[in-house]
Amino acid sequence: MTYWPSYRQNNFRGINNKTDDFRIENEEASDGKNFLVDDEGTLKSRPGRAKRNGTAISGTPDVLSLFRYYHSDDSTVKLIASAGTDIWLGAETTPFNFTSLETSLTSNVKWRFVQFRDKVFGCNGTDSNWKYDGTNAIVMGVEVPNAPAVAIGASTGLTGDYYYKVSWQVDSYEEGDASVASSLIQPSNEDITVTKPTNTPEGDVTDWIIYRTKAGGSLYYKVASVAIGTGTYTDSTTDANLDTASEAPTDNNVPPVNADFIALHHRYVFLVDKDTSRIYFSKQDYPETYPAANYFDVMEKDGENLNGIISSQGGLWLFKKNNLYLLSGNDTTDFGIPTNSYTHYGCYAADSIKDCTLQGMNVILYLHKTGVRMWNGASSQLVSRKIQTTIDTIDLDYIDKAEAEVVGDEYWISFCTSGTSNNETWVLNLLDGGWRKYDFGCNALLEWKDGTLMSGQNSGWVYTEDTGTTDLSANISAEYYTKNYTFPHEAGNTNRYREFSLWASLATDDLSVNFVVDNDSTNKSFTKTLSAIGSTLVKKRFSLPQFLTGELIKIKFSWASQNACEVRAFEVRYMQIPRR
């Protein structure tokens, strides 16, 4: 019986396109797209992708931002998107269409959001900072009311010279700055009627708070808190009974800038001023009030602006393109203002910064011009070496558009290698470090409540990715290229590849297996197409033509991706023949 040596592969892994074939592990792909490798190393179809909204967002603008919002009074999770000149709210039931929350904003600018308690806060670097509480979509901050009107009331009450101020209070707890003073009023044993200011408060204002001087005094003390629906208040509070522990606020300022970046950290909301190194922060637990002293500058002397922030590993990490700083401490009593850079591998794309667990370590992943990097709290390490050939093609003019999200044990990142917008999406397996490629770009990425992934696309569409169904007009083309294998043979001989066996299931479509020897796709190439063989795993074996003779052999699998293809293993058998 003739003995033919063989090579059998029972395991598949992600792409390694950086090194030559002699440095790629046998199980790794040298190239490919639109495939998955499961935890057991089985090569699979990527699931389909389907539009979430039944009708495109009005005007078909590109969807640039997605955010998940939950209100404690509501059992549903809401989807917020920015597209065109609007911020949109997605319906909670099929067909999941969008209605506008806010309009007449700057067109095609990316918004960034955080949630604190029951409110969403957002910024885009151009328009006023924004908030939404499930009902009201309005400008962030507690505005200052006009001065109240005051009038002499009935007899019995106050005597002397008095002034009044009022403030608005939102959500029954957060108060803004007090108004300017009222006109002088001079009762003589009379009460005073205070009328709510004439400027209409924003929809989230719940109360107006009244302050008054003592007779002839200059400090303003709290008189009463009045429900916003009540238009007047009768004041007969004696000077002795004023709440002298509560003076009229003068430093509860609205957010001072139209911020570019926003983060929630230790119950403070941090806002980064656009194109600067300055960062502002709210009062703790009061996200809409910003004392004048609550800011700091991050190493202006390094010549760079802030380019992203994230709360992680117990601190607030402040990224510039080529520097990384840390704000340490828990509150204003012990904040450690950053003075030294931890690494010169900063971040080029603010929306690539994600907190995750990579191979058991709590890390931050982000995109630098050198590639996707991991910050572990002590050093920055490159995690995209295996796809460096692709990394080197990222267009630095549009690298800031890169978008990332962590979903389960995967880090998805979309970036631009051609054109002017993201056109490729790569997925890093956080458990084994393997990469795979999808041949489409995403403007925004968001993990949804059930662990699925949503993407913001062009022309007013939001997609659900890697879903079990697809509504695309054509099949997704999937490819998986092995390395160039070199099988052993005696000196003076070469290999003739004789037989190929495949353990696979292919439910509804064809699987194409292409062989190329010695990189000669003209004279030493052969393709075998396997028709649908059902969803049961079977072994398929076929002979290879005699001209497949040489040193190297590369195998390419290709199929219509969403049609449930699985390849468990393959085997190549060959024989040694003398060189000619």
Side-chain angles (χ1 to χ4, degrees), residues 158-159 162 212-216 221 237-244:
L158 303 171
T159 299
Y162 294 98
R212 194 196 77 211
T213 60
K214 292 183 177 182
Y221 300 112
T237 307
T238 65
D239 288 356
N241 287 327
L242 289 172
D243 182 359
T244 55

Side-chain angles (χ1 to χ4, degrees), residues 228-299:
I228 198 63
T230 301
T232 59
Y233 179 82
T234 300
D235 177 27
S236 59
T237 307
T238 65
D239 288 356
N241 287 327
L242 289 172
D243 182 359
T244 55
S246 299
E247 293 188 32
T250 59
D251 202 19
N252 287 355
N253 306 311
V254 299
V257 292
N258 298 335
D260 205 9
F261 308 113
I262 186 169
L264 178 64
H265 178 64
H266 291 325
R267 309 196 315 276
Y268 295 87
V269 172
F270 287 80
L271 300 172
V272 176
D273 196 358
K274 186 175 182 179
D275 298 330
T276 73
S277 294
R278 180 163 291 187
I279 186 166
Y280 296 87
F281 55 98
S282 69
K283 289 185 174 180
Q284 192 172 41
D285 293 317
Y286 295 88
E288 300 189 62
T289 50
Y290 289 75
N294 280 24
Y295 74 91
F296 55 89
D297 295 308
V298 182
M299 284 302 292

Side-chain angles (χ1 to χ4, degrees), residues 305-326:
N305 298 324
L306 285 166
N307 202 45
I309 56 176
I310 188 172
S311 176
S312 178
Q313 303 170 0
L316 185 68
W317 294 95
L318 311 168
F319 286 85
K320 298 186 177 184
K321 285 187 175 181
N322 296 291
N323 287 285
L324 174 60
Y325 300 94
L326 171 64

